[in-house]
Amino acid sequence: MVQMRSGLVRPGLIVDIKKIGEMTEITETADGGFRVGAAVSGMELSEHPRFGKVWPGVLEAVNLIGSKQVQGRASAGGNLCNGSPAGDSVPAMIAAGAVVTVQGPSGRREIKVEDVPAGPGRTNLKSGEILVSFTLPPRPAGSGDAYLRMIPRTEMDIAVVGIGVSLTLKDGVCTAARVGLGAVAPTALLVEPAGQALIGSRLDDAALEAAAAACRAACRPIDDKRGTVAYRIKTAGVLLKRTAAIAAKRAGGH
Amino acid sequence: MNVVNNKWIGQRTIRPDGVDKVTGRAAFAADTTMPGTIWGKVLRSPHPHARIKSINTAKAEALPGVKAVVTARDIVDFPIEKGAVMLGIQDMRWMCRNVMARDKALFPGHPVAAVAATTEAIAAEACKLIEVDYEVLPWAIEIDDALKDGAPILHEWNKFDGKPSNIMGRLESKKGDIAVGFKDADIIIERSFATRPVHQGYIEPHACLISVAADGKTTIWSSSQGQFMVRAMTSMLTGIPQSDIRAIPAEIGGGFGGKTIVYLEPLATLLAKKSGRPVKMVMTREEVMRATGPTSGSKSTVKIGAKKDGTIVAAHGAFYLQAGAFPGSPIRGAVGCSFAPYDIPHILSEGFDVCSNRSKVAAYRAPGAPIGAYAVECVLDELAEALKMDPLELRLKNAAKEGTKAAHGPVFPRIGYIETLEAAKNHPHYAAPLGKLQGRGVASGFWFNAGGESSAQVNITEDGNVVVTTGHPDIGGSRAGIANICAELLGIDYKRVSVIIGDTQTVGFSNLTGGSRVLFASSMVVTQATDKIIATLRERAAKIWEIDPEAVKWEDGAAHPVSPNAGEFKPLTLADLAEKAPSQGGPIGASVQLNTQGAEGGFGTHICDVEVDVDLGIIRVIRYTAVQDVGRAIHPSYVEGQLQGGVAQGIGWALNEEYIYNKDGKVDNPGFLDYRMPVCSDLPMIDCALVEVPNPKHPQGVKGVGEVPLVPVMAAVANAVNNALGKRFYSLPMSPPKVSEALDAPTQQAAE
Ligand SMILES: Cc1cc2nc3c(=O)[nH]c(=O)nc-3n(C[C@H](O)[C@H](O)[C@H](O)COP(=O)(O)OP(=O)(O)OC[C@H]3O[C@@H](n4cnc5c(N)ncnc54)[C@H](O)[C@@H]3O)c2cc1C
């Protein structure tokens, strides 16, 4: 809609998918996971009694999209299909290990969130396919997630770097970790080596530095009006440490 | 007439425009419409610098729905060789070329043609059908690029030092002899600074609706800081006499100086005249950012010499300001204001007006002064550091006061600068403890303020209330201030005074809303008009009571005998006298028109605390106090609003705002997403400390307050950052990538 109003696109046909039940529902799956309809707005997600307790990082990422007014309409589905490398909810969804259900003329398929974006403004959805929902896996005890972004202002801004971290702790040892990284490459990335660097550690300085180094190494940013290459790479490392610390604190609090 | 026990002056009365603005009823220029309205759109140059060889509008004119097309041929030309034709501070030779490129396009966004069509989409489509044959020329945007040898010259006829140059002019203020002064100095500090161009950032884009009747009678609704400026410029650029142009000021959604010139009005007038239909034009934000005036980017070098005890003996400033496509950068403000707070025996302050391929600058709050103050106040901070003096003590030691001769000319009368320094020094903020990676900075600033022409008509309604009409768009609360003053003088309830802004054909000439002049000047004319009315009211009561007018006084909204000796009469209220008016000499009203004099300059001193996230290079302002000599705060909330707004804009200028250019010489961030003005959550509550040293030349003691508060801000922030990090930034903005890079630079020892 925004692109239409600003004259960037002129679609011949507009289909409103915000009235399809499956796309606007939030359900807890039998195994303890969540299914979030692709058109659920940020506001609706934050009003859900349980979602934010289980996935505080995903929720804070979705709620960072725009302002209160924007939150009333904008959805995680739109944020992902928008194809922006800086979309806030995407790294958090990647860290969460979310999978999307896609419906097309020839049926349904499931893809990992990190495989949806194809490049700035582009997705791997085929012509005629739409995103139906996100499925987030069940949460073992001792899990926590977090999302942080660097923006020059404090709100109404676009991420210069965004990082989602999801991890599980058992007796102080990290047993699972995933890191999603945004705004530093043509698409949001799953940084597997960063997660690996944390797994098996007690999130000590050496492990955090190794994970930060993995994030820096994964960056393929550009110099642009929002930040330099050097700044983005450095910031990716700084934010990894800060985000992991918040996720760990939340994991401990479970 | 500085009454102390005021009932309304100094009260935080409800703003007269408040309900309309909160409920969305207020009519801005883009809200207006007329039967038969069509849409105007501008075709703009994609090139930073190009000769226009030809323009073919035939295809556009043939597009169904297109009603008119105009190009530079339709605009009145002011030939360059014939010399300046000034309207206020604008030279019409540049104005006529800025509203529509003539032989050359000088910046991306420079209008080349305009189209009016039945819909906005058709007008936009028609713009694409206009064929412009450009000869693309090399371009220069940054000052260094515009000044280097072999730089592309924007105005080939211009010479500086005998050579073709982009330096369009030089201005200096001088006092004493700096060569002599610097010889006496024990310590000399010289530093160079750079600032980026920044936009005023008014929320409402330029907009107008214009109709030209068959007999030539023209009506303009537009958003501006002066309906008379709109009328005069439109008249000069279209050839329609001023008597035929009624310019109606719409409510205005911000200007900050940026709406003291026209962009759309002459084009819409010509389109309306050609098409015979009312034409509406509304800029997009992108057009605002590409084609309207921000303030200059700058480079400056400031050198200050002092004795060991802190006495400043000499100062030299050289300020290079980007004018954009046409001459006229605010060097006067940089040159005149920078050293004005200080009593320095030897001063040379020089300004250079530099053209380059970016949009022509427009006024922005205290034009030029913040740029100069940034350099001077940072050098003073280094001087204080070097002398191990408290920065406020250094300023106090050298502060200008009554009798000080400023380098730009005047000898100061009673001024309140020292009072602002004392108030800052004694403010709890100045003594508050600071945490880790936090720092505190101070800086001062001066602005000339202005008087000039204003008119007012004050009428008593038949039911005994008051309508005041003035001629200045209200962008800073002038309606509320005038109502306070008028209610005070008449001794009636504030709610009984209605203040409206007249259009050009219903109220006398009133100069721009700018220069912090409006409340100063309009309250002067309103006071005189109200005094005339009070004289009339006393005469009427005297006649009714059959006593001498001298024996009648006006008090608490009614005529009373001055004393029992004058006779025993029941007071005659305003309502009584209004009711009797038809039989007692007719309607009661008065108008006054003046070229007001006696606007005295204003001073402010600011305290800023910052905290730095050294890992990410993010600077946050965590506490801010603005102290200012405001003369007399007629409406304190509005005065505080001016201070807070100026500080907010200055913090944006210091930390994030800048025009970013791509390799093609085009602005790469023409919107509020990437042109980062601060949002609410970026700022702390900005505290204000109002110092009131009344202006002796004004009936209520008013001094302009709207511009001073932007002047000290960037220096205060920069000085605070230095205090936090032990590292100085000599260029703005201090944005995260830049701060981070500087902190990581090898010469820098660990910041913690
Ligand atoms: C003022 C403002 C501030 C913003 N701030 C932020 C911010 O801070 N962080 C951030 O990440 N983003 C921000 N955005 C952009 C944000 O990505 C999108 O506006 C929002 O997430 C889109 O959600 P939507 O549901 O409105 O999608 P739409 O705008 O309706 O759609 C976006 C795109 O995705 C497609 N699409 C939507 N849903 C589906 C689907 N189910 N299947 C297939 N394709 C689909 C649409 O066709 C369209 O191309 C901001 C936007 C605005 C206007």
Side-chain angles (χ1 to χ4, degrees):
Chain A
M1 288 299 254
V2 176
Q3 289 173 3
M4 220 169 74
R5 286 294 297 262
S6 57
L8 289 175
V9 292
R10 231 191 267 177
L13 176 71
I14 300 171
V15 182
D16 187 357
I17 52 174
K18 284 193 156 83
K19 301 264 155 58
I20 299 171
E22 191 183 0
M23 300 192 63
T24 54
E25 282 163 13
I26 306 167
T27 45
E28 286 189 63
T29 54
D31 60 0
F34 276 92
R35 186 148 48 238
V36 179
V40 168
S41 72
M43 265 329 174
E44 285 162 342
L45 197 60
S46 79
E47 280 169 5
H48 191 273
R50 291 250 317 135
F51 185 84
K53 293 205 173 74
V54 182
W55 293 104
V58 172
L59 182 63
E60 71 197 353
V62 172
N63 287 160
L64 275 176
I65 300 169
S67 57
K68 277 251 154 35
Q69 295 93 321
V70 172
Q71 281 288 304
R73 289 216 71 124
S75 64
N79 201 220
L80 179 60
C81 295
N82 211 25
S84 162
D88 281 306
S89 68
V90 185
M93 286 286 193
I94 290 176
V99 169
V100 293
T101 302
V102 171
Q103 173 81 54
S106 49
R108 288 199 165 202
R109 61 181 181 130
E110 304 217 315
I111 358 177
K112 294 178 197 148
V113 167
E114 56 268 33
D115 293 335
V116 175
R122 292 185 297 118
T123 67
N124 289 317
L125 298 193
K126 301 198 186 90
S127 167
E129 280 188 327
I130 62 165
L131 206 81
V132 176
S133 62
F134 294 86
T135 304
L136 286 84
R139 234 22 197 149
S143 297
D145 73 333
Y147 175 79
L148 282 182
R149 64 175 180 178
M150 190 284 154
I151 53 171
R153 283 188 295 217
T154 46
E155 57 182 303
M156 289 310 288
D157 214 326
I158 189 159
V160 175
V161 177
I163 282 201
V165 174
S166 171
L167 46 74
T168 305
L169 296 178
K170 190 157 191 281
D171 303 327
V173 176
C174 179
T175 57
R178 283 170 66 91
V179 175
L181 185 54
V184 294
T187 65
L189 306 170
L190 168 68
V191 190
E192 286 189 283
Q196 294 303 329
L198 299 177
I199 294 173
S201 81
R202 297 185 153 269
L203 303 183
D204 48 288
D205 286 353
L208 287 169
E209 181 45 44
C215 285
R216 289 194 292 265
C219 292
R220 280 175 284 130
I222 49 168
D223 268 325
D224 70 0
K225 57 196 170 190
R226 291 171 189 154
T228 57
V229 166
Y231 183 72
R232 285 193 151 114
I233 291 176
K234 180 189 174 190
T235 299
V238 173
L239 286 191
L240 178 279
K241 293 182 190 178
R242 293 184 183 181
T243 315
I246 299 169
K249 201 162 163 227
R250 287 175 179 164
H254 268 255
Chain B
M1 205 219 67
N2 268 305
V3 250
V4 188
N5 291 321
N6 291 313
K7 188 147 185 246
W8 297 106
I9 292 175
Q11 292 301 311
R12 298 170 190 263
T13 46
I14 304 274
R15 54 191 290 175
D17 52 329
V19 172
D20 276 358
K21 284 189 178 152
V22 170
T23 58
R25 280 173 43 104
F28 295 87
D31 297 327
T32 46
T33 188
M34 276 186 85
T37 295
I38 59 173
W39 281 89
K41 278 274 172 205
V42 176
L43 173 70
R44 298 176 184 278
S45 165
H47 306 293
H49 196 185
R51 200 169 302 285
I52 299 171
K53 288 158 64 181
S54 68
I55 302 178
N56 184 349
T57 59
K59 283 185 191 150
E61 274 161 277
L63 185 72
V66 171
K67 299 291 177 191
V69 178
V70 302
T71 64
R73 275 196 301 272
D74 301 289
I75 310 264
V76 175
D77 186 14
F78 291 81
I80 293 169
E81 60 280 5
K82 285 201 177 160
V85 180
M86 300 304 291
L87 189 94
I89 59 165
Q90 301 297 341
D91 185 335
M92 294 310 292
R93 294 178 301 168
W94 317 141
M95 283 307 302
C96 77
R97 285 166 177 74
N98 195 50
V99 298
M100 195 66 95
R102 298 194 88 81
D103 46 340
K104 286 212 288 185
L106 293 168
F107 59 93
H110 201 163
V112 174
V115 178
T118 47
T119 69
E120 225 179 334
I122 295 174
E125 194 58 40
C127 283
K128 292 189 197 140
L129 295 176
I130 297 175
E131 295 158 343
V132 186
D133 187 7
Y134 293 105
E135 176 194 341
V136 177
L137 302 169
W139 44 269
I141 290 170
E142 305 301 338
I143 293 179
D144 286 342
D145 295 334
L147 294 186
K148 72 182 176 206
D149 282 343
I153 301 296
L154 274 73
H155 303 287
E156 291 91 350
W157 47 266
N158 178 62
K159 292 211 162 51
F160 189 80
D161 278 347
K163 284 184 294 193
S165 172
N166 288 317
I167 298 183
M168 308 303 291
R170 178 182 175 278
L171 183 77
E172 69 168 39
S173 286
K174 201 171 160 179
K175 182 181 165 190
D177 179 347
I178 52 165
V180 173
F182 280 116
K183 266 196 207 123
D184 281 348
D186 297 322
I187 173 168
I188 294 175
I189 293 184
E190 179 173 3
R191 297 284 182 264
S192 293
F193 300 85
T195 68
R196 303 290 296 162
V198 293
H199 198 267
Q200 297 84 349
Y202 32 83
I203 297 299
E204 180 205 20
H206 299 262
C208 64
L209 170 66
I210 298 179
S211 92
V212 181
D215 61 359
K217 295 274 189 270
T218 301
T219 309
I220 301 178
W221 288 264
S222 78
S223 173
S224 82
Q225 288 175 243
Q227 62 273 40
F228 290 89
M229 174 280 299
V230 168
R231 182 179 71 175
M233 287 209 177
T234 305
S235 166
M236 292 171 96
L237 294 171
T238 62
I240 301 172
Q242 289 190 13
S243 50
D244 279 353
I245 302 175
R246 179 176 183 194
I248 302 171
E251 280 294 346
I252 173 171
F256 310 106
K259 291 179 182 167
T260 55
I261 64 176
V262 293
Y263 298 98
L264 299 176
E265 289 89 339
L267 310 183
T269 302
L270 291 167
L271 290 169
K273 195 174 161 188
K274 272 197 176 179
S275 64
R277 302 271 291 267
V279 172
K280 183 165 175 171
M281 296 181 85
V282 180
M283 280 197 198
T284 61
R285 178 70 53 198
E286 184 175 337
E287 287 179 294
V288 171
M289 296 303 287
R290 292 198 191 286
T292 71
T295 194
S296 306
S298 71
K299 285 176 69 78
S300 31
T301 300
V302 164
K303 179 176 170 185
I304 296 180
K307 302 294 255 185
K308 280 202 194 75
D309 71 351
T311 307
I312 299 173
V313 289
H316 180 202
F319 307 101
Y320 289 81
L321 270 60
Q322 269 172 329
F326 298 100
S329 65
I331 44 179
R332 179 177 158 265
V335 166
C337 296
S338 309
F339 298 108
Y342 307 104
D343 186 358
I344 304 172
H346 305 284
I347 297 178
L348 175 61
S349 189
E350 312 170 81
F352 299 86
D353 189 23
V354 183
C355 273
S356 69
N357 295 108
R358 52 193 319 280
S359 55
K360 171 180 160 50
V361 298
Y364 181 20
R365 280 184 120 147
I371 290 171
Y374 164 58
V376 169
E377 297 290 317
C378 284
V379 171
L380 285 179
D381 207 54
E382 285 198 54
L383 185 63
E385 214 172 41
L387 293 169
K388 301 197 168 29
M389 270 180 93
D390 174 276
L392 289 177
E393 291 297 343
L394 175 70
R395 287 171 173 83
L396 270 168
K397 189 167 184 79
N398 295 285
K401 49 188 170 296
E402 188 167 354
T404 301
K405 182 168 169 25
H408 68 277
V411 174
F412 287 125
R414 174 82 174 86
I415 53 174
Y417 177 46
I418 289 180
E419 284 81 351
T420 69
L421 290 168
E422 297 283 2
K425 211 174 84 179
N426 297 326
H427 198 282
H429 181 174
Y430 200 54
L434 287 167
K436 211 174 119 194
L437 292 171
Q438 296 181 348
R440 177 165 299 144
V442 298
S444 295
F446 168 82
W447 174 246
F448 307 118
N449 289 334
E453 303 94 335
S454 284
S455 303
Q457 170 80 39
V458 181
N459 288 329
I460 307 300
T461 56
E462 299 95 291
D463 61 355
N465 293 309
V466 187
V467 177
V468 181
T469 308
T470 66
H472 311 288
D474 173 3
I475 60 175
S478 52
R479 278 171 290 195
I482 289 165
N484 277 3
I485 288 171
C486 193
E488 186 79 46
L489 295 170
L490 284 170
I492 59 172
D493 193 282
Y494 163 87
K495 292 199 198 77
R496 293 173 58 191
V497 183
S498 170
V499 183
I500 62 157
I501 317 297
D503 65 61
T504 51
Q505 313 315 68
T506 58
V507 65
F509 177 76
S510 300
N511 214 322
L512 288 166
T513 296
S516 298
R517 60 176 297 271
V518 166
L519 192 65
F520 169 84
S522 60
S523 63
M524 220 176 228
V525 286
V526 169
T527 298
Q528 292 193 12
T530 309
D531 285 347
K532 280 192 189 179
I533 284 175
I534 291 171
T536 304
L537 293 166
R538 285 168 53 217
E539 279 163 20
R540 300 266 170 109
K543 209 167 137 206
I544 292 164
W545 293 332
E546 296 177 340
I547 62 175
D548 190 89
E550 290 306 310
V552 180
K553 64 176 179 185
W554 187 262
E555 217 171 78
D556 291 335
H560 306 260
V562 277
S563 70
N565 292 346
E568 294 274 342
F569 302 105
K570 198 168 151 279
L572 283 165
T573 64
L574 191 56
D576 296 336
L577 290 165
E579 194 193 325
K580 294 185 200 312
S583 61
Q584 299 290 333
I588 306 167
S591 81
V592 169
Q593 299 181 276
L594 284 180
N595 187 359
T596 63
Q597 307 294 324
E600 291 302 337
F603 295 87
T605 298
H606 292 189
I607 313 170
C608 171
D609 291 358
V610 298
E611 183 173 282
V612 186
D613 178 335
V614 288
D615 294 326
L616 297 179
I618 300 175
I619 296 166
R620 298 258 185 254
V621 173
I622 52 170
R623 186 169 181 184
Y624 203 103
T625 303
V627 185
Q628 188 171 320
D629 170 20
V630 301
R632 167 62 60 87
I634 302 296
H635 193 296
S637 300
Y638 267 118
V639 174
E640 288 160 4
Q642 289 292 323
L643 269 56
Q644 290 164 332
V647 171
Q649 289 181 311
I651 289 173
W653 194 338
L655 297 182
N656 277 310
E657 288 180 40
E658 66 176 318
Y659 276 62
I660 301 168
Y661 286 88
N662 67 16
K663 60 177 182 3
D664 302 324
K666 286 173 91 164
V667 178
D668 201 22
N669 56 337
F672 283 151
L673 178 55
D674 288 301
Y675 180 86
R676 293 192 167 77
M677 293 172 48
V679 296
C680 258
S681 54
D682 292 338
L683 304 170
M685 184 63 200
I686 294 157
D687 289 327
C688 301
L690 307 184
V691 171
E692 296 189 279
V693 177
N695 178 355
K697 298 178 185 162
H698 188 273
Q700 285 84 27
V702 169
K703 279 177 192 162
V705 300
E707 289 169 287
V708 173
L710 180 54
V711 182
V713 187
M714 287 96 75
V717 177
N719 291 339
V721 170
N722 174 60
N723 185 243
L725 297 176
K727 166 127 201 118
R728 241 172 221 292
F729 288 86
Y730 293 98
S731 73
L732 300 180
M734 295 177 280
S735 57
K738 223 156 98 180
V739 171
S740 171
E741 192 185 336
L743 290 176
D744 288 346
T747 51
Q748 171 66 23
Q749 67 274 64
E752 288 187 56

